[in-house]
Amino acid sequence: MEPDVPIIRRSLLLILVGSLALAGCGGAVSTEDLQGVVIDPPQPKPGFILTDTAGSPYDFAAETEGKLTLLYFGYLNCPDICPVHLAQIAETFDRIPEVARDAEVVFVSVDPERDAPEEIRAFLDNFDERFVGLTGTVDELETAQTAAGVPVAVFVGEGEDYTVNHAAQVIAFAPDGMNHSVYPFGTRQSQWNNDLQVLADLGS
């Protein structure tokens, strides 16, 4: 079932309005301390290969080497968590373009049965055309999730209206190749604005 793009766009507008309200004045000023869920000790970036929306192999570790990288596992029919995360990141990139220039956002669809590459691309373009979309076989996706240290997605229900229970956190890797923090659903816009600046300076 294809995602309803007009609904996504209306939802995005509402999300961004809320994001701006949460960000407040001076939201792009960094405190130099991470405000997300800190990983101690930091963990190295995982290695896995999936397929991008153009049909080319995408070696996650190699393609993102030396970059601030945000990794997220989701699916297009996700009703709330996925759009909120992506909208908040896109809003932060708009506020801090100097960080966005050297950053990579990688969205991995864990629903290969419904999420065709062209649909993933159209979905991500509603947020930011620079976002990378990946897919793969069920086995490849399971390998990627395991390598990233997140629970493997679980499919609930039957027929075309099934839902997918998936990891709800964005995993952040600094340019030094280490995972210093993660961002669960409910992360505030001000935290994104702060932490992406802090992470961009680690190992850059």
Side-chain angles (χ1 to χ4, degrees):
M1 186 173 72
E2 296 185 4
D4 190 322
V5 173
I7 289 177
I8 290 173
R9 287 177 176 155
R10 288 196 297 271
S11 299
L12 174 59
L13 178 60
L14 292 173
I15 291 166
L16 290 180
V17 169
S19 296
L20 287 168
L22 287 170
C25 296
V29 176
S30 170
T31 66
E32 300 184 359
D33 294 316
L34 290 172
Q35 298 176 1
V37 178
V38 175
I39 304 300
D40 187 19
Q43 298 299 304
K45 183 181 293 180
F48 58 82
I49 298 175
L50 292 172
T51 303
D52 67 20
T53 53
S56 300
Y58 186 95
D59 184 323
F60 177 72
E63 295 284 353
T64 62
E65 184 176 0
K67 298 180 180 180
L68 167 63
T69 303
L70 303 178
L71 173 64
Y72 182 65
F73 294 89
Y75 70 116
L76 302 193
N77 287 281
C78 180
D80 43 29
I81 298 174
C82 300
V84 169
H85 273 315
L86 295 172
Q88 286 184 304
I89 296 167
E91 169 62 20
T92 305
F93 277 8
D94 286 343
R95 285 175 164 265
I96 318 172
E98 66 275 14
V99 170
R101 279 195 295 269
D102 297 314
E104 196 89 291
V105 176
V106 179
F107 172 88
V108 179
S109 169
V110 295
D111 188 7
E113 181 69 24
R114 290 185 298 196
D115 295 352
E118 63 273 15
E119 292 168 352
I120 297 172
R121 183 69 267 153
F123 174 76
L124 293 176
D125 286 349
N126 281 289
F127 303 96
D128 193 311
E129 294 180 354
R130 294 169 292 188
F131 290 1
V132 174
L134 301 181
T135 187
T137 66
V138 171
D139 287 344
E140 288 171 340
L141 292 167
E142 181 173 336
T143 296
Q145 290 168 89
T146 301
V150 300
V152 174
V154 176
F155 297 84
V156 180
E158 299 178 356
E160 294 185 354
D161 294 329
Y162 60 85
T163 59
V164 184
N165 292 339
H166 62 95
Q169 70 269 34
V170 177
I171 307 169
F173 299 92
D176 64 2
M178 303 298 286
N179 169 213
H180 292 270
S181 50
V182 299
Y183 299 87
F185 184 61
T187 296
R188 297 191 303 274
Q189 188 68 49
S190 59
Q191 292 175 298
W192 282 114
N193 293 341
N194 176 80
D195 284 22
L196 293 194
Q197 295 178 84
V198 176
L199 289 165
D201 289 334
L202 296 175
S204 60

